[in-house]
Amino acid sequence: MTTQEEKIIGHFGPYGGRFVPEALIGALEELEQAHIAAASDPAFAAELDHLHRTYTGRPSILTEAPRFAEYAGGARILLKREDLNHTGSHKINNVLGQALLTKRMGKKRIIAETGAGQHGVASATVAALMGLECVVYMGEEDTKRQALNVARMKLLGATVVPVTSGSRTLKDAINEAMRDWVTNVETTHYLLGTVAGPHPFPTMVRDFHRIIGVEARAQVLELTGKLPDAVLACVGGGSNAIGIFHPFIDDVSVQLIGLEAGGDGVSTGRHAATISGGTPGVLHGTRSYVLQDENGQTVESHSISAGLDYPGVGPEHAFLHDIGRAQYRAITDAEAMEAFALLCKTEGIIPAIETAHALAGAMQVGREMGPSATLLLNLSGRGDKDVATAAQYFGIEL
Amino acid sequence: MLQLQPNTLELSSKVSLDTPLDQVLARAKSENRAALIAYIPAGFPSHEGCKKVIAAFAAGGVDAIEIGFPYSDPVMDGPTIQAAAVQSLSQGTGAKEVFESLKCATDLGVAAVVMTYWNPIERYGVEKFAESIAANGGSGVITPDLTVEESREWIKATDHSKINRIYVVAPSTSDARLPKVTGSCGGFIYAASLMGVTGTRSSVSSSAADLVARIRRSSDTPVSVGLGVSTREHAKSVAAYADGVIVGSAFINVLLEAPDEESGLRAVKELAEQLAMGVREGR
């Protein structure tokens, strides 16, 4: 009983857990059971693997970036190309897994939150594929910043609900999705898009993204004959980062480096660097680092990247930070955009602005570690959705 | 954690406590009626206005008052209480104002509790929060997003300060789980009448009576029903089977719709009087 209870509670040290209305406990327990059952069911693994090979486009390739590396101290830089997945980012890994679980639980409706629109598009895509009803909650502010993705979701048959409460961004979209879930929990699965939220989401979403790190670890070993010296990824909620970090956690020689959105700079208060500039607290059902004031009110985050613009972070990252297994640095908007432009011009790859934070981190870390180092970087998403933002930033007329 | 049998836990907290909330529910029971419990967020419509609302509650015959701690991310609340929270927070409401409002109610001799999401408690300091509730005459705290599994520190703090822990249970809470949650409740058990968020509705969901009946099978702690209760008729129907009737959004709507503060306060008192009649008509 005790061991089972501890497992159910889902903690990472002092972080994680379940801080939700009692109304949701039944659904979370059902989801946890479905996840546990699927994890030991070869038929589930086979179905997901088949979808990944025939729909997602897995395994995603590894691309070496030698011209970009010249700006990163000459370190060897290897890009894990999650941007080449169907729908343009790593998000599809989690969405396919959860959609299969939704079907197993006999539910016909999914709801999702989205910031940049990547997770919303991935959810709408998979809902279309599997014949599920899909409602996406998106902050009104973000529907304007990411109008192209709103249109995509609508084309895919989803209903997009602009959220006008609070700061009208990702955190408020999550609030609204949770209110929907509390009301419609019997028929509806909340397809949460990151490694945050109440247990089992942080664990389950991580498990669906581990494939990134599993593939990349083997690919790097095959290419270079050794493990990389560091693995880098951007961190908003932290799903792409935990996906690539997790299979390396026991490889103690490999540094794990998460790059948070520093906005105008952590010292300005206008940022979304939750671990670098936040404090432990509870938000959206889990205990982790949170951007909050002295009364425990969530503080609005700021980032040029809608996908990183979130005042919380996954609890496992909080734990990895506290035990010193991973380090987290803040990258400003300006640093991210410089790296964005550089990757475009040196490698012919337009990254997502989220991902550009990791690229800026690689420029720093490469200079620190020198030319003998090998850095593995999760190129988590492509930048098509960001063209308007980037054009505006660089003064390119549309 | 929670190695104790649920019943043992329940007894340990119930035997030792006799808060004003415990007393007012016992009194209502002895009068063969339900208690009327009214909700207002601290700092709404303003810090001073909230104190006037509390006085109107008391004058209107409310038995116990819930002071809400407005929170930036209220996932259990519908548009009405969200709007009130936004208005309150924009005026800088924090823990200080919450405790002042609490004291305002208890100084009037009305049993009062605080209703808050968990993070403000954790930020304030769990032990210190419970102590401040007691120091201001408060009977307990309603914690809508705190699960019993995450309550270790809270149980210690509330036992130490001798205040009631009030958890919310829902129609979806299984029979297997109910005793685990209700066994840790004191004062009353908050039964959510339906699957959903706070807000007024045209009728009270039939799932409320079923839930109360299920709770009573494993607990003799008083049960209060909230969510969607807004009229005298609602209060009457809920009072037929529950020990307490909780009304929140209806009072806030009255205040939001009033042309000025004075008429708003008058309408609050009138609604309280109507509801106070309702809770006496149910049996």
Side-chain angles (χ1 to χ4, degrees):
Chain A
M1 179 70 192
T2 308
T3 45
Q4 195 196 356
E5 208 164 57
E6 277 166 7
K7 209 163 78 185
I8 286 169
I9 292 165
H11 285 106
F12 305 92
Y15 302 110
R18 259 180 203 158
F19 296 84
V20 291
E22 194 60 33
L24 295 179
I25 294 293
L28 291 170
E29 286 177 348
E30 179 189 20
L31 180 60
E32 179 179 38
Q33 290 311 315
H35 173 228
I36 290 171
S40 59
D41 179 357
F44 184 88
E47 191 174 6
L48 187 56
D49 180 66
H50 178 76
L51 282 167
H52 275 327
R53 279 187 289 107
T54 62
Y55 193 72
T56 310
R58 299 210 76 91
S60 66
I61 58 173
L62 203 63
T63 299
E64 183 149 12
R67 277 172 38 76
F68 180 81
E70 289 173 21
Y71 299 86
R76 191 169 190 189
I77 296 196
L78 306 173
L79 307 174
K80 177 63 173 166
R81 299 293 304 280
E82 293 296 298
D83 62 318
L84 297 179
N85 292 342
H86 182 43
T87 74
S89 80
H90 70 289
K91 293 290 185 189
I92 189 92
N93 302 325
N94 166 47
V95 169
L96 277 174
Q98 284 198 51
L100 288 180
L101 289 182
T102 304
K103 284 174 66 177
R104 287 191 160 208
M105 291 186 291
K107 292 182 174 181
K108 305 246 185 285
R109 178 176 182 263
I110 59 169
I111 55 174
E113 84 294 341
T114 199
Q118 296 294 78
H119 175 59
V121 167
S123 299
T125 299
V126 172
L129 176 71
M130 299 193 187
L132 300 167
E133 183 191 348
C134 178
V135 176
V136 179
Y137 291 94
M138 188 170 188
E140 192 186 41
E141 203 58 40
D142 291 332
T143 61
K144 291 177 193 155
R145 286 198 278 193
Q146 303 286 344
L148 189 64
N149 271 341
V150 174
R152 273 200 186 106
M153 289 183 265
K154 288 180 178 170
L155 287 171
L156 291 161
T159 304
V160 180
V161 181
V163 174
T164 57
S165 58
S167 60
R168 305 176 180 214
T169 59
L170 178 57
K171 93 174 171 70
D172 307 284
I174 295 177
N175 291 340
E176 212 51 46
M178 286 183 82
R179 292 182 188 116
D180 180 318
W181 204 28
V182 168
T183 309
N184 301 300
V185 66
E186 265 184 48
T187 59
T188 299
H189 173 60
Y190 180 14
L191 209 164
L192 187 70
T194 191
V195 286
H199 179 66
F201 285 107
T203 308
M204 178 182 69
V205 176
R206 176 200 70 203
D207 288 352
F208 288 136
H209 282 306
R210 273 188 100 251
I211 191 166
I212 305 170
V214 169
E215 286 177 6
R217 193 175 180 282
Q219 288 166 324
V220 173
L221 280 173
E222 191 188 328
L223 182 72
T224 71
K226 61 183 182 64
L227 290 168
D229 296 291
V231 179
L232 296 91
C234 63
V235 176
S239 68
N240 92 80
I242 209 76
I244 197 161
F245 285 178
H246 203 260
F248 288 98
I249 284 177
D250 292 334
D251 300 321
V252 290
S253 68
V254 180
Q255 289 190 40
L256 307 177
I257 303 171
L259 290 312
E260 298 192 295
D264 294 342
V266 174
S267 61
T268 67
R270 288 179 51 82
H271 64 87
T274 311
I275 294 178
S276 307
T279 47
V282 170
L283 176 64
H284 293 143
T286 190
R287 181 184 287 116
S288 185
Y289 281 78
V290 179
L291 299 181
Q292 58 181 329
D293 69 12
E294 72 281 3
N295 279 303
Q297 310 291 347
T298 312
V299 171
E300 283 178 30
S301 54
H302 294 274
S303 170
I304 191 169
S305 147
L308 302 183
D309 200 352
Y310 178 59
V313 66
E316 194 165 8
H317 285 294
F319 179 63
L320 292 174
H321 167 265
D322 281 14
I323 64 169
R325 180 62 191 95
Q327 57 163 293
Y328 296 83
R329 304 182 182 194
I331 298 293
T332 63
D333 288 353
E335 289 167 335
M337 293 312 288
E338 184 197 347
F340 175 96
L342 202 56
L343 192 75
C344 293
K345 287 178 180 158
T346 57
E347 302 291 348
I349 298 170
I350 300 178
I353 295 177
E354 289 78 15
T355 312
H357 289 70
L359 291 160
M363 291 167 69
Q364 287 181 4
V365 173
R367 285 167 192 160
E368 291 162 18
M369 296 180 80
S372 63
T374 299
L375 310 185
L376 169 65
L377 185 149
N378 196 6
L379 203 80
S380 54
R382 66 176 178 237
D384 304 40
K385 68 183 177 57
D386 294 318
V387 167
T389 306
Q392 194 185 9
Y393 186 89
F394 293 114
I396 300 166
E397 272 186 48
L398 289 178
Chain B
M1 87 168 76
L2 287 178
Q3 305 284 3
L4 296 168
Q5 293 290 316
N7 287 342
T8 322
L9 248 178
E10 183 192 354
L11 286 174
S12 70
S13 59
K14 274 178 62 189
V15 167
S16 58
L17 292 190
D18 187 26
T19 66
L21 180 63
D22 290 321
Q23 291 165 12
V24 82
L25 283 157
R27 189 160 64 241
K29 187 177 183 177
S30 72
E31 293 169 10
N32 192 31
R33 66 171 177 96
L36 173 61
I37 302 162
Y39 168 91
I40 186 79
F44 179 81
S46 63
H47 185 42
E48 288 310 308
C50 177
K51 293 178 179 174
K52 293 177 190 167
V53 172
I54 290 166
F57 280 165
V62 164
D63 294 296
I65 296 175
E66 290 176 15
I67 304 295
F69 195 139
Y71 178 53
S72 52
D73 297 276
V75 296
M76 263 302 281
D77 286 306
T80 303
I81 292 181
Q82 284 177 48
V86 167
Q87 183 171 329
S88 172
L89 288 173
S90 72
Q91 300 170 73
T93 304
K96 180 170 164 281
E97 289 74 22
V98 170
F99 291 123
E100 278 180 24
S101 303
L102 180 67
K103 187 166 188 313
C104 172
T106 58
D107 280 352
L108 289 171
V110 184
V113 298
V114 166
M115 180 158 186
T116 178
Y117 291 90
W118 178 248
N119 197 48
I121 296 182
E122 194 160 299
R123 187 68 174 153
Y124 188 82
V126 174
E127 200 179 318
K128 199 174 121 200
F129 195 93
E131 285 168 0
S132 295
I133 294 286
N136 288 289
S139 295
V141 184
I142 304 170
T143 48
D145 65 343
L146 179 67
T147 53
V148 288
E149 288 84 356
E150 301 290 347
S151 294
R152 192 200 307 239
E153 215 187 331
W154 183 236
I155 288 173
K156 219 172 94 185
T158 46
D159 280 350
H160 176 75
S161 292
K162 298 190 165 46
I163 59 169
N164 299 131
R165 285 184 297 277
I166 302 164
Y167 295 93
V168 181
V169 295
S172 64
T173 307
S174 67
D175 284 337
R177 185 174 170 83
L178 263 179
K180 191 167 151 182
V181 182
T182 62
S184 197
C185 280
F188 62 80
I189 296 155
Y190 192 129
S193 69
L194 47 76
M195 297 299 290
V197 295
T198 59
T200 57
R201 287 163 175 92
S202 56
S203 65
V204 178
S205 163
S206 63
S207 56
D210 298 339
L211 176 58
V212 173
R214 288 202 293 128
I215 293 169
R216 293 208 194 281
R217 268 181 238 145
S218 61
S219 170
D220 57 3
T221 304
V223 185
S224 298
V225 170
L227 264 58
V229 187
S230 58
T231 67
R232 178 176 173 175
E233 275 309 302
H234 293 170
K236 180 182 170 184
S237 70
V238 172
Y241 55 85
D243 304 298
V245 177
I246 303 168
V247 180
S249 296
F251 286 116
I252 293 167
N253 277 332
V254 157
L255 288 162
L256 288 172
E257 286 161 11
D260 55 63
E261 185 181 277
E262 201 181 318
S263 52
L265 292 167
R266 202 162 49 236
V268 164
K269 180 167 172 273
E270 281 163 14
L271 176 58
E273 286 166 350
Q274 289 290 313
L275 293 164
M277 285 190 267
V279 298
R280 286 166 171 82
E281 295 165 343
R283 301 174 199 169

